Amino acid sequence: RIEDVDEMRALPGAGDEILRELERLGLWWDGSVVWQSSRKAQYDEALQKLRDSGKTFPCACSRRDILRHATKKTINGEQASAIYPGTCREGIPSGRAARTIRMRGEGTFTVHDAIQGPYVQDLEKEVGDFVLMRGDGFHAYHLAVVADDHEQGVTTVVRGSD
């Protein structure tokens, strides 16, 4: 799959170059190549399912608002990303308009890594409510990749130790 959902950052021709390099290395895919940029209808459908389940909410906060009011997260003693403070969780403040759609980050999530062992994360404390539809109208990578993984039956992910 070519993960080009962020059209503002996707470089023209980069996806085709990736496919050529994979072929040059003798790596072949087992189905048709899926381009995220052509799957907006599927992401709209996935987002609607989440909205219908009550797991999402509209948010009026800008990045500046979040940085001003968020809990600061540190990793290994270094400043990391700010955690959304939940400002719009129970409704958008008066006089403001929705910019994004967020999903509630609730509960504990555990990934069983075959090499590094279990990885446990408290979504509310460590991640916060995350964006599914960005302020510029594009679907967030988080929504696209999970919807694609589900549809494609992905059950195992191989990644570096970053």
Side-chain angles (χ1 to χ4, degrees), residues 7-157:
E7 295 177 15
M8 302 301 287
R9 295 175 60 190
L11 299 174
D16 291 325
E17 181 62 28
I18 290 168
L19 296 175
R20 281 193 296 278
E21 282 299 307
L22 290 171
E23 289 173 347
R24 185 184 69 75
L25 294 168
L27 300 172
W28 306 97
W29 33 98
D30 56 2
S32 60
V33 176
V34 174
W35 295 76
Q36 285 184 330
S37 58
S38 68
R39 295 181 41 78
K40 291 178 184 174
Q42 287 85 351
Y43 304 144
D44 283 338
E45 184 179 322
L47 181 59
Q48 189 59 51
K49 285 180 183 178
L50 290 168
R51 289 174 115 168
D52 292 345
S53 74
K55 295 181 182 194
T56 66
F57 61 94
C59 180
C61 299
S62 67
R63 288 182 182 176
R64 184 175 299 151
D65 294 334
I66 293 167
L67 287 173
R68 193 173 330 132
H69 300 289
T71 302
K72 303 294 191 240
K73 181 174 123 179
T74 58
I75 297 175
N76 297 328
E78 293 187 32
Q79 182 73 25
S81 61
I83 298 172
Y84 173 71
T87 307
C88 299
R89 253 185 171 217
E90 303 307 321
I92 295 176
S94 179
R96 306 215 33 213
R99 300 170 45 90
T100 64
I101 303 294
R102 290 184 176 273
M103 181 167 176
R104 297 176 189 276
E106 299 175 321
T108 300
F109 181 78
T110 303
V111 174
H112 299 282
D113 187 294
I115 295 172
Q116 298 180 32
Y119 174 78
V120 180
Q121 192 167 47
D122 182 320
L123 295 178
E124 191 168 355
K125 291 179 183 173
E126 298 178 51
V127 177
D129 302 328
F130 49 93
V131 173
L132 296 178
M133 176 66 83
R134 300 178 351 189
D136 59 10
F138 289 109
H139 298 95
Y141 173 79
H142 302 84
L143 174 68
V145 73
V146 171
D148 290 342
D149 284 354
H150 176 73
E151 186 173 305
Q152 294 173 332
V154 173
T155 59
T156 304
V157 175

